[in-house]
Amino acid sequence: MAVRHFLTLLDLSPAELLEVLHRAIELKKMRAEGVVYEPFKGKVLGMIFEKSSTRTRVSFEAGMAQFGGSAIFLSPRDTQLGRGEPVEDSARVISRMVDIVMIRTFAHDIIERFAAHSRVPVINGLTDDHHPCQILADLQTFIEHRGDLKGKTFAWVGDGNNMCNSYIHAAHQLDFQLRIACPYGFEPDPEVLTQYKHCATLVKTAEDAVAGAHLIATDVWTSMGQEAEQSIRKRRFATYQVNPRLMDLASPDAIFMHCLPAHRGEEISEDMLDDPRAVVWDEAENRLHAQKALMEFLMR
Ligand code: CP
Ligand code: NVA
């Protein structure tokens, strides 16, 4: 059978995505009950990080250990990738030695090229264009707190970035509506918006996006790799802050998510994470469970 990768949310069918999400909820329960479940004894995860990470690294490494396997952390500083060894050659070599690979990198085509030359499943741990593992955790969190995704309205406020792109894919796959509010010039790719216009709508203001929505999500205004634009972004995004007053315009049962790390006083107010509608700590924890379910799915 062909090797399955997870480079975007489109790599799994809607039924497969739901299977992974429900398995994540089950694995979480098993862990809470102290069940020892080690299907990956002797298996190794290779983790290539070209950008910083707290949640992604810890969740993959801990998840692999809990499954009885192990993980290797690889950074460009101490591998030949950082000295110019081609991605294709690195993929051929690394995938002969490990059982599954996770990559966090810059251009999305780097992970596509790696996957094309890999013998084992490759998971996207974030690229400039997509962050599908985070969305798995977000969807699991929504299901746990509010049930079905189908027919719901989600609001994306802020940058039309990698997280926003993955939310667009999720809306398409799992049948919810996404309203997107970004400052002019920071919207998602217009071609993507046209392709997904059945499930994703660009609106003008943060208020337009959140009106009656069931989930409000945002992210940093300056993503990794965009540090030079930080001060201009701070000015341009000023009216796109999520705070309890903005949340009051959403559905009365709305919840708030942020993939973290968060910048209090920028994309969220100082008090937003203390608001009872914020579920960000559950969301962060679910990275662990969702990725364990994903690895189990890809390696079976
Ligand atoms: N949300 C997320 O991916 O966090 P890290 O950058 O810490 O991995
Ligand atoms: N959009 C952010 C997400 C960080 C988890 C970034 O790419 O830096």
Side-chain angles (χ1 to χ4, degrees), residues 52-57 104 126 131 134 224 259-261 287:
S52 304
S53 168
T54 297
R55 279 143 289 269
T56 305
R57 178 175 178 183
R104 168 169 285 196
L126 182 146
H131 195 3
Q134 180 66 52
M224 291 180 276
C259 63
L260 307 177
R287 293 294 303 276

Side-chain angles (χ1 to χ4, degrees), residues 148-207:
D148 276 353
L149 300 158
K150 198 177 161 130
K152 296 290 191 311
T153 299
F154 287 7
W156 179 262
V157 178
D159 194 11
N161 63 10
N162 43 9
M163 279 290 296
C164 180
N165 288 333
S166 289
Y167 259 112
I168 295 172
H169 282 172
H172 169 71
Q173 292 280 63
L174 296 168
D175 223 358
F176 60 84
Q177 287 296 315
L178 183 68
R179 281 198 227 118
I180 304 167
C182 312
Y184 179 72
F186 297 91
E187 305 88 349
D189 182 339
E191 274 182 35
V192 172
L193 288 172
T194 305
Q195 186 180 355
Y196 292 100
K197 63 177 190 293
H198 55 281
C199 61
T201 316
L202 189 64
V203 297
K204 277 219 156 57
T205 65
E207 289 74 13

Side-chain angles (χ1 to χ4, degrees), residues 4-6 8-21 136 169-170 172-174 297-298 300:
R4 299 285 301 268
H5 302 298
F6 186 65
T8 75
L9 286 158
L10 304 179
D11 287 331
L12 268 59
S13 70
E16 288 171 338
L17 286 173
L18 286 172
E19 180 190 332
V20 167
L21 295 172
L136 285 183
H169 282 172
H172 169 71
Q173 292 280 63
L174 296 168
F297 175 86
L298 294 174
R300 75 184 176 203

